Amino acid sequence: MKTRFIAAGAALLALLTSVLAMTQNAQAATGLHVSGTRILEANGNQFIMRGTSHAHTWYPSQTSSFANIKSLGANTVRVVLSGGRWTANTASDVANVISLCKQNRLICVLENHDTTGYSEQSGAYTLDQAVDYWVGLKSVLTGQENYVVINIGNEPYGNNNPSAWTNATKSAISRMRAAGFQHLLMVDAPNWGQDWQFVMRDNASSVLDSDPQKNTVFSIHMYGVFDTAAEVTGYLQAFQNAGLPLVIGEFGNMHSDGDPDEDAIMSQAQSRGIGYLGWSWSGNGGGVEYLDQVTNFNVDQLTSWGQRLFNGANGIRPTAREATIYSGQPPVSPSPSPSVSPSASPTRSPSASPSPSPSPTGGARGCSATYTVSNQWGGGFQGEVTVRAGSSAISGWTVTWTYADGQAITQVWNATVSSSGSSVTARNVSYNGALGAGASTSFGFLGSWNGTNSVPAVSCTAS
């Protein structure tokens, strides 16, 4: 009998272990989550961060910044919070921040700034103290996994003893999971975020493995250490070679420690499908005022850095894609989207040619496509095509159209596009071809036009 009880107990334990494993896997897919090198939404669509940071903890009254950041095309805002090193942001304040993000259809990266420069800067908090702060906010964070990423601590080690970062970060992740957080977690590098000693790069795999949900993304801050294209490319390639998720959590166009190569940062991020968040919207001091993207929080006064970040090549406006969690949900407080030429002054005006041109609705193993001009300026425009599966799942799609007015595509994302004269063919890439019945995906592009930019008829075929 004892043997049989032991055998039965072992079988029950195996069953419970299996159920627990399935539960953990299901939890890991709650909301935003990582898959290999990519960040996905709960529905499996890839999400690539394009946005900026807003110093909310020092400027809590500047709540219009959320709508203004969205109006320039961002899909993400990284929000500076404090748990006590500066005036603490309360649970009710953080709940309002999340509400503002959702009203303006932004993904909200919440970061605790208290840890900045720990081991080197007086007054800096430990990562353990940062976790204490997040645990205190758990009531307003739970249930927001589709909308909120938790950046545990900003630049949590300076240049003194950065090797301690690895165990401290593993401990912080473990405590967050033990407290019940299901969110995508973001961890910043040591060396003031720039990882010039490669502590994060060389230990990222073990840190990710320490997360029972395997739902952690690494954040590199790129300033003077990344002043050449080779350094930018080498660092990003190392994470892609390792199959690890990475975002550029901060970067600027200049800095007191050197001149970052923002062109390489943005082009490499775009070509690799890596998220980036510029620093910062407005309110910088201490000699780095040049990092303000707008003057005095005024969206109509873009600085040269703001113009570069939002409207330049590989910038936010031409490359950002809104999170699909917001698809079909109008903003609670809608704000107009300005149409600004990358070479024009930052005046605000209605977006151009908003009328879509849909192809016929797809049936079984069919698909439909809708072409929209989402932004237009002298000689150039931004377009988007939404592809929707018919009544059955599909494994791939091809969209075609013919331009009537000499338009030409100059840059594309989330599709492979070829042109023959005025005829254009767009095909899915590896991660967005398989669509369930009625599911949709989108791809975008930049183009040129001269004289007329009419919306072409489009057709879609599924495989």
Side-chain angles (χ1 to χ4, degrees):
M1 290 294 293
K2 183 177 180 181
T3 303
R4 291 174 63 188
F5 282 140
I6 292 173
L12 178 60
L13 179 60
L15 176 62
L16 291 174
T17 301
S18 175
V19 171
L20 180 59
M22 288 188 292
T23 301
Q24 288 177 334
N25 288 338
Q27 289 174 343
T30 298
L32 292 159
H33 60 285
V34 298
S35 176
T37 61
R38 299 184 294 147
I39 295 174
L40 306 180
E41 294 186 70
N43 61 8
N45 284 336
Q46 185 177 17
F47 180 71
I48 301 174
M49 295 182 188
R50 289 285 183 269
T52 186
S53 292
H54 170 49
H56 173 75
T57 196
W58 300 302
Y59 302 99
S61 65
Q62 295 291 342
T63 52
S64 63
S65 295
F66 293 86
N68 290 334
I69 289 167
K70 177 64 176 183
S71 77
L72 295 182
N75 63 20
T76 305
V77 60
R78 183 169 176 256
V79 184
V80 179
L81 302 176
S82 174
R85 185 176 176 183
W86 296 276
T87 301
N89 299 100
T90 64
S92 61
D93 179 44
V94 174
N96 186 55
V97 165
I98 297 170
S99 177
L100 288 166
C101 287
K102 293 166 73 173
Q103 286 172 24
N104 292 287
R105 303 161 75 99
L106 292 162
I107 294 301
C108 213
V109 177
L110 302 178
E111 62 105 333
N112 186 332
H113 217 73
D114 296 340
T115 56
T116 306
Y118 176 75
S119 81
E120 189 171 348
Q121 189 171 77
S122 176
Y125 282 25
T126 65
L127 278 170
D128 207 42
Q129 289 173 293
V131 174
D132 291 340
Y133 177 61
W134 295 120
V135 170
L137 296 176
K138 189 169 185 292
S139 63
V140 300
L141 296 173
T142 299
Q144 304 299 329
E145 293 85 358
N146 283 315
Y147 308 95
V148 170
V149 178
I150 300 177
N151 191 175
I152 299 177
N154 181 70
E155 300 178 0
Y157 275 81
N159 293 321
N160 293 337
N161 193 29
S163 62
W165 173 91
T166 302
N167 286 335
T169 301
K170 290 179 179 179
S171 175
I173 292 170
S174 296
R175 284 193 61 206
M176 292 291 287
R177 296 306 186 206
F181 287 96
Q182 308 295 321
H183 302 70
L184 172 60
L185 302 178
M186 182 183 292
V187 294
D188 283 6
N191 298 128
W192 298 91
Q194 296 199 76
D195 203 28
W196 60 268
Q197 291 176 290
F198 302 126
V199 172
M200 184 174 81
R201 185 198 69 181
D202 295 344
N203 293 279
S205 181
S206 68
V207 169
L208 182 62
D209 287 342
S210 74
D211 181 355
Q213 295 186 17
K214 303 295 188 292
N215 196 22
T216 297
V217 62
F218 299 91
S219 172
I220 183 67
H221 293 184
M222 290 188 164
Y223 294 106
V225 169
F226 295 92
D227 58 354
T228 68
E231 288 165 318
V232 172
T233 301
Y235 196 88
L236 301 182
Q237 188 64 50
F239 273 78
Q240 293 204 313
N241 287 346
L244 297 170
L246 182 73
V247 297
I248 301 165
E250 283 186 22
F251 73 105
N253 64 333
M254 58 178 118
H255 203 262
S256 56
D257 68 347
D259 183 13
D261 189 341
E262 70 275 11
D263 292 340
I265 291 168
M266 295 166 73
S267 65
Q268 285 292 315
Q270 175 62 18
S271 65
R272 296 170 184 269
I274 292 174
Y276 67 65
L277 303 169
W279 181 275
S280 71
W281 181 242
S282 196
N284 284 286
V288 293
E289 290 83 358
Y290 50 77
L291 288 173
D292 281 4
Q293 294 152 10
V294 298
T295 301
N296 295 325
F297 294 94
N298 186 343
V299 69
D300 293 322
Q301 295 184 19
L302 276 171
T303 65
S304 59
W305 168 221
Q307 189 73 267
R308 173 69 187 92
L309 178 69
F310 285 98
N311 296 322
N314 302 299
I316 289 171
R317 189 190 298 280
T319 66
R321 294 291 316 286
E322 185 177 88
T324 61
I325 189 67
Y326 295 117
S327 297
Q329 302 175 22
V332 177
S333 301
S335 53
S337 297
S339 174
V340 183
S341 164
S343 59
S345 60
T347 55
R348 304 182 75 180
S349 61
S351 59
S353 304
S355 301
S357 173
S359 67
T361 302
R365 290 192 66 79
C367 58
S368 61
T370 302
Y371 179 113
T372 305
V373 176
S374 55
N375 196 9
Q376 181 173 299
W377 54 91
F381 72 100
Q382 179 181 344
E384 179 176 278
V385 174
T386 299
V387 178
R388 185 176 300 276
S391 57
S392 298
I394 63 175
S395 58
W397 46 262
T398 301
V399 177
T400 59
W401 66 89
T402 300
Y403 283 124
D405 306 304
Q407 301 100 319
I409 290 178
T410 58
Q411 183 178 341
V412 67
W413 51 94
N414 293 333
T416 299
V417 170
S418 60
S419 298
S420 176
S422 59
S423 299
V424 179
T425 301
R427 294 182 173 86
N428 64 273
V429 288
S430 61
Y431 54 79
N432 64 1
L435 298 175
S440 65
T441 189
S442 299
F443 64 92
F445 52 90
L446 298 181
S448 62
W449 65 285
N450 184 18
T452 304
N453 188 22
S454 59
V455 175
V458 294
S459 63
C460 184
T461 55
S463 57

